[in-house]
Amino acid sequence: MKIHEFQAKMLFHERGIPVQKGVHVTTVKQALDAWNNLGTNVVAVKSQIHAGGRGKGTLYSPSNGDLVLEGGVHIAKSAEEVEYYSQKIFGNKLVTIQTGPEGKIVNNIYIESGCNIAHEYYLAVLIDREEQALLVMASTEGGMDIEEVAEKTPDKIDKIWYKFGEDVSSKAIKLGESLGLEGNALNEFESSVTKIVDMFWEEDCEMIEINPMVRTNDNSIVMLDAKVSFDNNAGFRRKGLISELRDKSEEIPTEIKASEAGLSYVKLDGDIGCLVNGAGLAMATMDV
Ligand code: ADP
Ligand code: MG
């Protein structure tokens, strides 16, 4: 299960993982109220969809397919700019490298305080099944497509592994040092990684990806993007807040229907889908 950036940041905030102040809005009027209430002179107007690459995406009109706006994330420095961007974003279709050509309609925007960025980093936690451990990856090449970094300059990605219950702190400091962090930023990085790893174990996460995590001009760390997904196999024991964060409008209707019937179903391009039990059979079916 995926959640929106603003929801992931709410979970981060609750755990003391540093994020900017922000307000989730669903109308232009609310976006303007958010601008007034945040009281900063710069905000980011951020389209919320369950896919990355929003900044470099393009918004199209869902009715006639006309191009409406380049970019799904914008910096606004006045009420007029907040109004302009939110008007252009709401109800339109955002196509990014991760949505496929059909894109996703944007019904939610996050108005977030502007951040003074000194450097953008990449940080992610995922499961390494072979090592039976959590893998924490970090890179100084944040803000861009990490697959591209992995392909062209793999030495720019640092990795550490944690087994369940292992002390996080000392390895996190080494990882932070390998990114060139010092002083306050290094301390904040260490405490953030510790809290993110705790969150990963405690909430049955599948992936936590922060691209970019930034160092600010005053040497603080801020998670400026947040992509969090949860393991559906643990869904039965997820009762509290997180189970309520599911946004079914972001999911594929036929997949929702299948999951309600207890079936494993993956929608593919066109009018084909894969309905099978067992990962091996699923892969063999895909190959065929
Ligand atoms: P995506 O990865 O979907 O494009 P991000 O949240 O990473 O979306 O935003 C894209 C870029 O916009 C970031 O790399 C960062 O440079 C900039 N950005 C995002 N949020 C803010 C913010 N609150 N203040 C300043 N710049 C921001
Ligand atoms: Mg990003």
Side-chain angles (χ1 to χ4, degrees):
M1 182 183 91
K2 292 179 184 171
I3 57 173
H4 289 292
E5 175 199 5
F6 75 89
Q7 297 169 323
K9 285 182 170 173
M10 185 181 77
L11 300 176
F12 282 4
H13 178 69
E14 277 177 357
R15 287 176 174 266
I17 300 162
V19 289
Q20 295 287 97
K21 274 207 173 112
V23 185
H24 162 230
V25 301
T26 55
T27 63
V28 176
K29 161 92 177 52
Q30 288 176 1
L32 286 167
D33 289 345
W35 161 264
N36 288 326
N37 292 335
L38 283 171
T40 46
N41 43 17
V42 184
V43 296
V45 180
K46 309 187 73 175
S47 306
Q48 300 292 296
I49 55 168
H50 284 184
R54 296 161 299 161
K56 295 200 177 95
T58 310
L59 285 145
Y60 297 95
S61 154
S63 52
N64 58 19
D66 284 355
L67 195 156
V68 178
L69 185 69
E70 290 285 5
V73 175
H74 287 273
I75 297 297
K77 295 183 177 161
S78 64
E80 289 70 35
E81 286 182 3
V82 170
E83 185 173 23
Y84 174 83
Y85 288 123
S86 31
Q87 247 162 15
K88 296 245 165 188
I89 291 172
F90 274 131
N92 285 320
K93 195 173 71 177
L94 181 57
V95 177
T96 80
I97 194 163
Q98 290 184 12
T99 61
E102 68 279 10
K104 280 184 184 255
I105 302 283
V106 188
N107 299 312
N108 299 280
I109 291 181
Y110 194 46
I111 306 286
E112 186 179 58
S113 295
C115 182
N116 291 315
I117 303 171
H119 190 87
E120 300 198 340
Y121 302 85
Y122 176 90
L123 176 67
V125 183
L126 28 125
I127 299 165
D128 186 333
R129 287 169 207 278
E130 229 162 272
E131 295 292 328
Q132 300 182 14
L134 289 193
L135 166 61
V136 181
M137 292 203 297
S139 173
T140 52
E141 309 303 295
M144 47 175 138
D145 188 7
I146 197 66
E147 276 81 19
E148 201 180 314
V149 179
E151 196 179 311
K152 290 186 182 149
T153 47
D155 53 305
K156 291 205 166 146
I157 299 178
D158 294 304
K159 295 177 182 172
I160 48 173
W161 285 265
Y162 294 110
K163 299 266 181 186
F164 183 68
E166 203 181 328
D167 175 54
V168 175
S169 177
S170 57
K171 285 187 184 174
I173 291 174
K174 282 211 183 82
L175 186 64
E177 284 170 345
S178 71
L179 295 176
L181 298 174
E182 294 173 337
N184 183 56
L186 184 59
N187 291 337
E188 289 187 359
F189 178 80
E190 180 270 319
S191 93
S192 299
V193 170
T194 305
K195 288 169 184 164
I196 290 168
V197 168
D198 286 348
M199 173 171 161
F200 200 104
W201 292 125
E202 287 166 21
E203 306 294 359
D204 296 307
C205 291
E206 198 166 57
M207 190 199 63
I208 298 181
E209 187 184 54
I210 298 148
N211 189 19
M213 169 191 93
V214 305
R215 178 166 49 80
T216 63
N217 290 338
D218 55 1
N219 206 33
S220 292
I221 292 294
V222 176
M223 307 304 154
L224 212 51
D225 193 2
K227 232 169 134 182
V228 173
S229 62
F230 300 94
D231 185 350
N232 285 345
N233 295 309
F236 70 94
R237 65 180 177 195
R238 195 151 36 231
K239 299 227 160 56
L241 171 72
I242 292 173
S243 59
E244 286 155 33
L245 299 181
R246 185 169 176 193
D247 181 353
K248 286 191 180 171
S249 74
E250 289 283 327
E251 298 176 23
I252 299 164
T254 46
E255 289 190 357
I256 296 175
K257 217 168 158 185
S259 78
E260 281 164 2
L263 297 168
S264 286
Y265 169 74
V266 181
K267 165 97 184 71
L268 300 171
D269 283 347
D271 52 10
I272 298 174
C274 194
L275 181 68
V276 288
N277 292 318
L281 181 57
M283 279 190 276
T285 309
M286 294 286 279
D287 288 348
V288 169

